Amino acid sequence: MADAAAMIDVLAGEEGYRAAVDTPPPPLRIALVWRTPLGRPPMAAEHRRAVADTADRLRDLGHRVTEADLPLGARPWPQFMTRYLRGVADDVARLPHPEWLEPRTRRLAGAGARVPDRTLAWARTAEAGLHALMVGFFAEHDLILQPGWVRRPSRIGRYHGSGIATTLAAVGTHIPYFPTWNVMGYPVAAVPVGFDQVGMPIGVQLIGPTGSERLLLSLSGQYERAHPWTDRRPAL
């Protein structure tokens, strides 16, 4: 956490992030949110257990952790897909040699190029409505706790040669908790909390409202001191 915070000090051009890691937070109201915009997804038992254990550990540190649902419903999902597809198309259009890309990436860019400007404008404008819905939620909760990946990441090359729909559907089932925060733009801390049965790390997300970076670093630093992990190294 200290490394991440020091990097933010440099990138932001202001101090205070690194110091926040060493400053314990006050008792916080943390919402444990299991549902995504598309419902509660299937999750590997060891990942679910890691999130529940993290909630208990945060309670042991003096924080109040209660289960809650976000007031957003399914709204973030179409906004995410609109911005994701069009974003790929816009990025590819700026490349000097798009022919060097994998065929799947070129097809994905082609699909995104069919997203009209008015639809992209709708997605960007609708973001304000999502923020408005979260005002009341963050009046009752300081931060959010959610899973990161819901199962072990796929092996390299697992989707090589697969089509757009197959790849997006398969990858999406692994990371259903990420798109909401890609749309909202809230600060998120990805915190290692354990390891699965083959030694791969398991993480959770801590999410806060706009401007809560220092609070997230403070809580993450407190958690890391209570449950250190940096001495864990894979065997050579």
Side-chain angles (χ1 to χ4, degrees), residues 29-36 40 59 64-72 134 137-138 140-141 143-147 177 181:
R29 303 165 300 170
I30 301 173
L32 172 55
V33 177
W34 291 106
R35 294 182 64 84
T36 75
R40 184 163 176 168
R59 293 184 182 104
R64 189 188 75 184
V65 182
T66 55
E67 295 191 15
D69 290 330
L70 299 176
L72 303 175
M134 290 297 293
F137 187 89
F138 278 124
E140 298 179 0
H141 307 280
L143 298 175
I144 298 167
L145 167 65
Q146 279 196 318
Y177 289 96
W181 312 120

Side-chain angles (χ1 to χ4, degrees), residues 1-23:
M1 291 304 164
D3 292 340
M7 181 180 68
I8 298 174
D9 274 349
V10 174
L11 295 176
E14 60 184 41
E15 298 180 355
Y17 298 100
R18 173 61 186 86
V21 174
D22 297 329
T23 306

Side-chain angles (χ1 to χ4, degrees), residues 20-222:
V21 174
D22 297 329
T23 306
L28 299 173
R29 303 165 300 170
I30 301 173
L32 172 55
V33 177
W34 291 106
R35 294 182 64 84
T36 75
L38 299 181
R40 184 163 176 168
M43 188 180 308
E46 54 193 351
H47 285 250
R48 185 185 309 108
R49 187 165 52 251
V51 177
D53 289 346
T54 301
D56 287 338
R57 291 171 177 177
L58 290 171
R59 293 184 182 104
D60 291 341
L61 290 172
H63 306 293
R64 189 188 75 184
V65 182
T66 55
E67 295 191 15
D69 290 330
L70 299 176
L72 303 175
R75 296 175 186 85
W77 188 250
Q79 294 183 36
F80 169 77
M81 289 305 302
T82 297
R83 297 170 69 163
Y84 173 75
L85 291 172
R86 179 60 184 269
V88 172
D90 291 347
D91 285 346
V92 169
R94 289 191 289 266
L95 294 178
H97 294 285
E99 69 275 11
W100 293 354
L101 297 170
E102 289 184 350
R104 177 176 53 197
T105 306
R106 295 199 299 271
R107 290 195 296 271
L108 189 62
R114 291 192 287 273
V115 175
D117 289 344
R118 65 179 180 276
T119 303
L120 179 61
W122 161 80
R124 289 175 169 167
T125 301
E127 182 184 324
L130 299 180
H131 287 288
L133 290 171
M134 290 297 293
V135 170
F137 187 89
F138 278 124
E140 298 179 0
H141 307 280
D142 300 304
L143 298 175
I144 298 167
L145 167 65
Q146 279 196 318
W149 288 67
V150 298
R151 57 181 59 87
R152 189 180 307 143
S154 303
R155 297 184 67 85
I156 294 173
R158 168 66 178 80
Y159 305 110
H160 182 71
S162 299
I164 296 174
T166 299
T167 303
L168 289 179
V171 174
T173 60
H174 283 67
I175 54 173
Y177 289 96
F178 294 162
T180 296
W181 312 120
N182 293 154
V183 170
M184 302 290 289
Y186 290 148
V188 178
V191 182
V193 298
F195 297 85
D196 68 14
Q197 59 185 348
V198 300
M200 292 290 288
I202 297 175
V204 300
Q205 298 185 96
L206 295 172
I207 304 105
T210 301
S212 62
E213 287 87 351
R214 291 178 177 84
L215 181 60
L216 288 169
L217 289 167
S218 175
L219 178 60
S220 300
Q222 182 189 46

